[in-house]
Amino acid sequence: MSLVGEDLSWISKVQVNQPAVLRRAEQIQARRPVKKEWQVAWLLKAVTFIDLTTLSGDDTSSNIQRLCYKAKYPIREDLLKALNMHGKGITTAAVCVYPARVCDAVRALKAAGCDIPVASVATGFPAGQTHLKTRLEEIRLAVEDGATEIDVVINRTLVLTGQWEALYDEIRQFRKACGEAHLKTILATGELGSLTNVYKASMIAMMAGSDFIKTSTGKETVNATFPVAIVMLRAIRDFFWKTGNKIGFKPAGGIRSAKDSLAWLSLIKEELGDEWLKPELFRIGASTLLADIERQIYHHVTGRYAAYHDLPMS
């Protein structure tokens, strides 16, 4: 799809009705997301959407190995047996790491005998303020090392200054550098200035070939919020109506509790329908969420609450 001339004329006219979006977000958040008797089933479903993430300066091969083990065995086997869900192959959707740690993750997952995808952040994560040539090389190196999903960050300056064609061209180059790997485009919505810019950036990212659009790096002051998500999900819906192509959605940053995860699943179901509730089209970027989900399942099974460190490892 070429993005020149009149193809861009519509983007300058787009306006998001912010009060309406905020009202919709309040309505959804005021509801109980899932009936109590269905909560455990939905929490297990939520596990399968998690991109289990570590993006710390002190990441080492050993903690990447632990992350990969947890991705393969996210919930203790005795809890799964009590729910009659053992042997069902419940794993997280992917692991997500820095480019320099991709080899460690690929090795650890291979040793564990599982085919969970490895996602790598790239393009000067989290700020995206490096030369384009460097950002593209970072994608290529991560793919060479075995990453099959690349979470890129956009250059926020291009959004804030309205350079939509330049943004499109950069993301097209990211798409090409990914080759066969899936492209997940992080908008860093907390730094885009307005919900209107969030919608515009979402549409440009999808037009340029993104497989997913993602809210945040998790490093911004404001990360995944419901108003931003509603705008991005409406953009995904509009893009689907216009093109017939289903694009995935990934909220990330600040999603820490089991209750949060249920609210996000409920939002996807309401805005896009059940067909988006699969790992090919929905992910949750999180590092600590899984621990709380396991705590809540433990409580359901045993009737007791336990601190996470009280739970024996799988």
Side-chain angles (χ1 to χ4, degrees):
M1 187 187 294
S2 173
L3 199 69
V4 293
E6 63 185 9
D7 284 342
L8 264 182
S9 60
W10 63 273
I11 201 94
S12 59
K13 298 170 188 168
V14 168
Q15 284 297 323
V16 169
N17 183 340
Q18 183 166 331
V21 171
L22 296 178
R23 278 196 303 275
R24 174 71 174 147
E26 283 173 12
Q27 284 170 1
I28 293 170
Q29 286 174 300
R31 295 179 199 157
R32 175 189 277 272
V34 180
K35 287 183 179 176
K36 194 167 184 182
E37 60 267 31
W38 294 103
Q39 281 187 4
V40 168
W42 277 78
L43 287 174
L44 288 174
K45 196 174 182 69
V47 169
T48 68
F49 298 134
I50 293 174
D51 281 0
L52 194 59
T53 301
T54 182
L55 295 167
S56 300
D58 58 358
D59 284 339
T60 62
S61 58
S62 59
N63 75 296
I64 298 297
Q65 200 170 359
R66 286 193 296 274
L67 183 87
C68 292
Y69 182 87
K70 195 63 186 168
K72 185 179 181 183
Y73 303 107
I75 304 295
R76 276 173 38 193
E77 193 177 353
D78 62 320
L79 299 179
L80 292 175
K81 280 181 178 173
L83 298 166
N84 200 26
M85 290 298 291
H86 62 292
K88 302 281 188 185
I90 292 174
T91 69
T92 67
V95 296
C96 184
V97 297
Y98 274 120
R101 303 266 71 88
V102 169
C103 282
D104 293 332
V106 169
R107 255 194 313 270
L109 289 167
K110 188 176 179 183
C114 67
D115 56 1
I116 297 170
V118 175
S120 173
V121 296
T123 64
F125 180 95
Q129 294 280 9
T130 54
H131 289 294
L132 179 60
K133 187 176 178 183
T134 307
R135 285 180 279 153
L136 293 169
E137 186 63 13
E138 195 171 38
I139 294 172
R140 286 189 283 264
L141 290 170
V143 172
E144 277 177 26
D145 285 345
T148 55
E149 301 180 2
I150 303 294
D151 289 35
V152 302
V153 289
I154 64 167
N155 181 344
R156 278 75 107 187
T157 303
L158 299 179
V159 175
L160 295 170
T161 55
Q163 297 181 66
W164 302 111
E165 193 165 334
L167 178 64
Y168 174 87
D169 289 341
E170 279 204 357
I171 299 172
R172 285 298 295 167
Q173 291 183 68
F174 296 163
R175 167 75 274 164
K176 187 177 178 185
C178 282
E180 295 296 309
H182 284 188
L183 172 63
K184 307 211 288 284
T185 300
I186 307 169
L187 304 182
T189 55
E191 297 177 349
L192 296 189
S194 70
L195 291 178
T196 295
N197 277 347
V198 169
Y199 183 90
K200 291 176 179 181
S202 297
M203 291 301 288
I204 296 291
M206 291 186 287
M207 292 171 77
S210 303
D211 297 296
F212 270 75
I213 51 175
K214 176 177 169 182
T215 60
S216 325
T217 65
K219 310 287 187 184
E220 293 92 56
T221 311
V222 178
N223 292 292
T225 68
F226 265 35
V228 155
I230 288 166
V231 171
M232 292 175 70
L233 293 171
R234 297 286 170 90
I236 287 171
R237 193 166 70 190
D238 291 347
F239 188 77
F240 174 61
W241 285 345
K242 285 180 175 126
T243 67
N245 295 329
K246 292 177 182 171
I247 305 300
F249 174 68
K250 179 178 173 181
I255 305 172
R256 297 188 179 91
S257 72
K259 186 179 176 184
D260 289 343
S261 70
L262 294 177
W264 282 99
L265 266 65
S266 183
L267 176 65
I268 301 303
K269 186 178 171 69
E270 289 212 16
E271 289 291 319
L272 294 176
D274 287 333
E275 59 196 300
W276 255 267
L277 279 174
K278 53 187 181 182
E280 294 80 13
L281 290 171
F282 178 56
R283 301 287 182 85
I284 298 172
S287 52
T288 59
L289 170 63
L290 184 56
D292 193 57
I293 290 178
E294 192 170 32
R295 249 194 305 265
Q296 297 305 320
I297 291 172
Y298 175 86
H299 173 65
H300 175 85
V301 169
T302 67
R304 301 192 305 274
Y305 281 107
Y308 185 64
H309 55 72
D310 293 333
L311 291 171
M313 289 298 287
S314 302

